[in-house]
Amino acid sequence: MSSSIGEPFQLYSTNTSAKKFSHNSRPVYTTYNPKFRKHVTLTIQGDGIHVVDLENLHSVVSHSVGDHVSFSAPAFSRSIAEGDDTRFSVTYAVIKQAPEVVKANRERTIWIMKQTLTGLRVAKDERKSVVAPFPPMRICGVDSDKLPLLLVSKSGGISLADPEVTIKSQLEWTGERELLDVFIFSPSSCPFIRRDMDSVRNVVCICCQAGSNLYVRVALVGEEIVHVDTCELPIGSEGETVDGRIAGVTCSVEGILSFVTSRGVWKAFQLSVSEPSSLLATPLSEPLQLHRFSALKKKRPGNPGISVVSFSSSLVLLAATVDGQNISLQLWDLRYGVLLASQTLTSPMADALSHFHLTLAHEGQALLTLSPSQLPPKSQGSARSTVHAIPFDQTLKSNLAAALGKSSATEEWLAPPKSDPLRSVLSEDRVKLLSAIKSSISKQAPQRADDAFFTWIKSNSGRDTAEPSFEHEFVKRIVNTILLSDFKAGDQYSPRIIQYLLERGLVSAMMVDGILLRRLYERGDWENVILSLRSVVDVSEDEMMSSLKFVIDEHRKRENKTSDAMEVDLSESWIPPLETILSACLSYDFSPVTARLSIRRHLSDARDLVTILGVLEGWLHGGTEDETKLALMSTAKIVDMTTESRSTITPPYPKVVTFLQTLLDASCITLLQYRPSYDLLRQILAQIEPEIDRLDRLEQLRGVLEPFAKAHARISREKAGCVPQESQAESKRRRKQLEQQASLEVGLYRLEELWDLDDKIARYLQLLQSLAMSFSAGVITVSDSVHAGVNEDKSGALIQDTLRPRGFQRVVSAVAPDDEESIRARLKQILSLQAISPLLERQAPGLVHLLLSSSLKHTPLAALSRPVAGTIGKTLVVTLPGSTKAVRENLDALLSNGVLDHALDLIKGGSGKAVHAALGSGHTPAGQGQAHGHHHHSGCVAPKPRTALSHDPSIPAPGRLRVSPYPLIGLEDALDIIMTEVQPLGIVTLPVTANLAGHVLAEDVYAPEDIPSSKTTNVDGYAVRSSDTPGVYKVLTSLTHKLFNDLPKGSIFRINTGGPLPTGTDSVIMVEDTELESAQKDADGEDMEEEQVKTLAQVSPGDNVRQPGSDVRKGELVMQMGEVITSAGGEVGTLAFVGRKEVKVVRKPVVALLSTGNELLDLQSPKPIPGDGWGGIWDTNRPSLQAALEGMGYKVVDLGIASDDVDAHIRAISKGLETADILLTTGGTSMGAGDLLKPVIERRFNGTIHFGRVAMKPGKPTTFASIPTKAAIHGRKLLFALPGNPASAIVTFHIFVVPALRRLGAWLTSKCQLPRVEVQLQDTMPLDSRVEFHRVIVRSTPDGLLATTTGSQRSSRMTSLCGANGLVQLPPLAVGGPSKLEAGEFAPAVVIGEIQM
């Protein structure tokens, strides 16, 4: 629930020792002056006063006073300009005790301290001392240059003073009171004051407590202070003796005041001031009774560890201790009494004896100050006082849409009601029935519950009504009583009541928190499960998949039991066959998208998927043929297609196909990894192919059926009677439309549905066909010694081990002696051929040459070998030498560069284009390009020959380049290239959900209507006609009167805050202005409902009414194109607030991750590296980069680890181009023999290397490239090849990849790079000839941002990034310049994580 409240972070921390501790005052005060924006003043006992820049998180002004000085009130700071616009900070501090302050002037002495803010550097402190006529408890600022100060006394008196604290105007307040807080507002934003405000600069609201009452005084401040009025509010209920006190009070600029008592009572009032100066406080809502907070469990003096602050309107942030060291930060909307969002802060100071104080700071930030309320024991040493910043969504508004659905989260923090509110809604006989059902269920007597229910049905049924009516709340209570009770194995249960309600369509799944099916099948009530799938409209896909999983598991358990009939457990409940429950689920209207997620959640076991596929395969048989018969019978009026099916258990054929498509989409990988599923998938493929043939034949019926359809449409029009005259153009357009419809229509059956079915089948047919086209391999070892068992078949085993990982579906092997008949026999066995004559039908001399040339590179003795290659039918036959070394060399030649793939594709009838494209064969090799110099008169320009810079990856290591062909470019040049080459992705329309976070808005958003759309009330009371005079009126409610009907004369309508006014009313009278005249009684004579109410006042038109559009006007621009939708929730909430269900945004890129290198091991599934026993190294880059990407909200496609092999690189990059928008690889970018990325990009994908080296450390071989592809919106996709060393990969990711990702998402160029700050180095850092990014930990301190090194900066040392949150950018070595930056010097740093305190 933290979407509206950000993660809190510590702003300041200080020790609170005995010297700093002062009774009757807090160790730390926090104040914020809105006129001194983005700066907060911290008053620290025994230390001094610090002004902290909230934007840069460091102190800009510090006034140190020493241990012997203490303060009696929070200090106040203001910013002024003097002379040549030099900025100064002026701080006012009330001194409680200091060596230079005499006793008589204690708590009245004010120190005025002045410092310059030029360059944010602290200059010499100037101090002046003045004595006030009274002890100020607060010093505040008002909007005046001549009289900028407002001093508040302990009893609530206020004084207006000039900058030298000379009093110019006073408003005294006699009596004994305790000042709680003071709130100052701008008059232009105070809607609760209705009077002339021309000469008013500020509205002041003072809150004090005296005894059991809260006193609220409102005054206006201009050249002088004008008292408006004072009101008195009881802290407790009327007539209650209060032994607690107010723990926190707050007031919003809209005049909504609320306070929390130490007993957990939270009250809210709407202040209003009307002529002539009358202050009213109207209850905003019913008081809330908080619980669970530690502060409410014990009585204690002083601040009980709870605080509140208003954001806007009725939104209030509450901070309180929960469970020891946890502080709960909660955002409440007191108008509706709901908890909107929450966040948890853990702090050692979070005990119930701490001082809590919340302060509203600059836009989107609040401050929480924690300090001890008493001196800690000497054994515990000193405690700490801390200040935390709490980010929040400043666009939040109070509205009903945001409050909906928050009741469950709210109930956790509120004490349960003392009485059942339903007694005022349900009649007495219904309440008694619920009680009887509950009692019978608890006594294990469900039959009695049935008897009570059906007896009540009979007694409430009459001649006019066959059955009684059922209200939603009544049904919900019945269902909850039966299904939400604790149920254990062996408990008694009766399904009759639930069955009765289901048959009448009275039950919804949300009545039992969306788990209706689960509650039913836990009780063995499968009949009602199936009935629910026929009658309940809101069964979730998650529930259906859960039911399928339960049925499969139960049947599997029973099948695994012994088959001995004597041991059959006859007490086991009946479980329906899977076909029955699956048919019910498929017949239900389900969403394929949601169903896919539910399948992945509940049906992740491949065995379960195969079980379901077996049922679906049987239902697919003859599907189209049966559907066509039903369609024709429906057209002939023989059957109704909406009810008829092929059998009582088989669901409609289109439903079967849709679910099959959904199942395959959700579990494709799982099935392909489970070999027992292959045969079943082929059977499904065999069922689908005839269906497509039938669809093809149906298309031929179009021409035959079209005249019939036209004639049928004409006859229908004639039977309808006269047809209105229409113009010639309208007639032509109508005829064309009818022809288009008739060409696809046969009676009630539309052939369009069949073609949609064809499209769905074709999508997964491609998947299954690709499975069916997987190649098999046969290995025959021809050797007399191996056949006789003398020697081991090492070569055959090597071939099998090489082929299996390359995707060959089946690899079989055999051994034959060295004679022709035996070899023929083994070939027959493997190839299933009837005869082989001649042995090879077609020779493949090219393959023979390839094998010979490959072997000759290693040894001249290969000239003696006799390789044979050719085809038999559609089978490729290749002979290899006998030694394992020669086998490995020949296999490398066949499998590299796509030779074997190309050959198999041609044998199967393919064109080979896909292999050619993958190999990038269209470009001209280096040194062979010829310039095309003649002119083209058509205006076309001849293509320029492209010369690859990289070496040929297929040549041996001695032939590779020794010097990088890529120029070494500067850091800024590299960033400029990225910003130039990267273009935003396309625009998509997405639903307004939490998944919008991170997208950039692609359209302006305007309010489609006024909000609120109709008149609503801002008080609790009664809607009336303003013409009605005071008197006695009948009370109507939403249960007894519909809003859109005129309110009858002599009646008033009870209404709650925020509710719409019924038709015929124009004003609202508050509850306080009425008296209860009479009430309806229940059977016990107790008051149950208001019957008549006496109004005591005459209201004017529009009183207490909120007008339409008071929040947002129709057509008002609420969000602009280009805004980033953040995860804070404000932007998503705004879209929902104005009713936008979907919005246009720029698509976020999908990122593919690939690691390269033979030496890498996957951490989750390590495979030992064969060789000399060296175990390899863990692949660090993929997990770390995936964590960084997903933390930023990007979807990641994991391509795994590619070995140092050209084919492996081609396969991985090809998959990345298919599944992602941008590829991110690590390793393979330097000068090693196995560094293949650049050659593969250029020579196999015809890609462009935009830069291949950057003058930076770490990350010199960083590569940025683009690869042409038709699948991309701009005709190409981007690739970053980062260095393989872990630290280098992470550093270059933050420097280069993050800006590219943001630019792909259409972020503004100026905001693409990560933020940079100025830091002070705490360690000496040597300089390099290149720009270096030094990993550091950045901390915010009173002295500014300090950067500490993480130790050794070796590029392979991943631990140098553990805890690092910044990258200090060190300049390159300059001729004659320093060789290092010393500790204490300043340098820029890139922020890559949260700044520490």
Side-chain angles (χ1 to χ4, degrees), residues 1199-1388:
L1199 300 178
I1201 301 173
S1203 60
D1204 292 334
D1205 173 76
V1206 173
D1207 289 346
H1209 280 58
I1210 291 174
R1211 287 194 300 271
I1213 294 175
S1214 298
K1215 182 178 179 182
L1217 293 174
E1218 295 172 359
T1219 58
D1221 302 298
I1222 181 172
L1223 282 75
L1224 190 56
T1225 71
T1226 59
T1229 61
S1230 192
M1231 300 294 294
D1235 292 336
L1236 302 173
L1237 270 171
K1238 293 173 183 174
V1240 168
I1241 291 170
E1242 286 192 310
R1243 295 173 176 270
R1244 296 297 187 259
F1245 291 95
N1246 202 26
T1248 301
I1249 305 292
H1250 300 290
F1251 61 78
R1253 292 194 304 158
V1254 184
M1256 64 178 290
K1257 180 183 178 182
K1260 182 179 179 181
T1262 301
T1263 300
F1264 172 53
S1266 60
I1267 297 176
T1269 172
K1270 295 181 180 180
I1273 185 174
H1274 300 297
R1276 61 179 185 169
K1277 291 189 177 182
L1278 305 176
L1279 182 146
F1280 279 92
L1282 307 182
N1285 281 321
S1288 302
I1290 295 297
V1291 169
T1292 52
F1293 167 79
H1294 287 292
I1295 300 301
F1296 297 123
V1297 179
V1298 171
L1301 293 175
R1302 290 183 171 183
R1303 188 58 191 146
L1304 281 171
W1307 286 50
L1308 295 176
T1309 305
S1310 59
K1311 295 183 178 180
C1312 285
Q1313 294 190 42
L1314 292 171
R1316 295 171 183 255
V1317 296
E1318 194 81 359
V1319 298
Q1320 185 180 30
L1321 305 182
Q1322 300 300 292
D1323 306 277
T1324 299
M1325 298 182 183
L1327 302 181
D1328 190 81
S1329 59
R1330 295 168 283 163
V1331 173
E1332 181 176 1
F1333 288 93
H1334 195 106
R1335 281 82 77 192
V1336 295
I1337 299 173
V1338 181
R1339 292 183 174 88
S1340 176
T1341 71
D1343 298 324
L1345 296 177
L1346 306 182
T1348 305
T1349 181
T1350 58
S1352 171
Q1353 297 294 297
R1354 183 186 300 165
S1355 59
S1356 62
R1357 184 172 177 263
M1358 187 64 190
T1359 52
S1360 65
L1361 279 156
C1362 184
N1365 58 1
L1367 303 173
V1368 169
Q1369 183 173 335
L1370 299 175
L1373 275 170
V1375 178
S1379 62
K1380 57 187 175 182
L1381 289 186
E1382 299 289 349
E1385 293 190 68
F1386 289 85

Side-chain angles (χ1 to χ4, degrees), residues 151-315:
L151 279 62
V152 187
S153 69
K154 182 178 181 180
S155 61
I158 56 177
S159 302
L160 195 59
D162 62 12
E164 302 301 319
V165 200
T166 302
I167 304 298
K168 299 297 183 180
S169 178
Q170 281 186 294
L171 176 63
E172 296 184 354
W173 197 355
T174 59
E176 290 294 329
R177 280 174 300 276
E178 177 187 359
L179 178 67
L180 297 176
D181 215 334
V182 57
F183 308 97
I184 300 178
F185 309 119
S186 172
S188 60
S189 57
C190 284
F192 66 94
I193 298 182
R194 306 174 186 173
R195 57 176 294 167
D196 183 18
M197 306 282 278
D198 291 340
S199 61
V200 177
R201 291 193 176 95
N202 288 98
V203 177
V204 181
C205 178
I206 308 106
C207 297
C208 298
Q209 180 178 356
S212 299
N213 295 317
L214 170 68
Y215 292 88
V216 182
R217 168 176 277 198
V218 174
L220 306 179
V221 176
E223 296 299 327
E224 58 183 14
I225 303 173
V226 177
H227 177 221
V228 176
D229 196 12
T230 303
C231 69
E232 177 182 339
L233 301 174
I235 297 176
S237 302
E238 188 173 351
E240 179 186 12
T241 302
V242 178
D243 59 355
R245 64 184 306 278
I246 293 178
V249 63
T250 185
C251 186
S252 68
V253 68
E254 291 83 2
I256 295 180
L257 180 141
S258 67
F259 62 86
V260 182
T261 71
S262 58
R263 299 172 62 182
V265 178
W266 197 355
K267 293 186 175 183
F269 300 86
Q270 173 67 65
L271 301 180
S272 60
V273 177
S274 58
E275 298 285 0
S277 299
S278 176
L279 175 62
L280 300 175
T282 306
L284 185 69
S285 59
E286 290 293 324
L288 303 178
Q289 179 61 61
L290 302 174
H291 86 138
R292 277 200 61 193
F293 296 110
S294 303
L296 309 177
K297 296 178 181 178
K298 299 179 181 179
K299 296 181 180 180
R300 54 181 58 84
N303 188 313
I306 193 168
S307 182
V308 290
V309 66
S310 292
F311 283 176
S312 64
S313 185
S314 57
L315 301 179

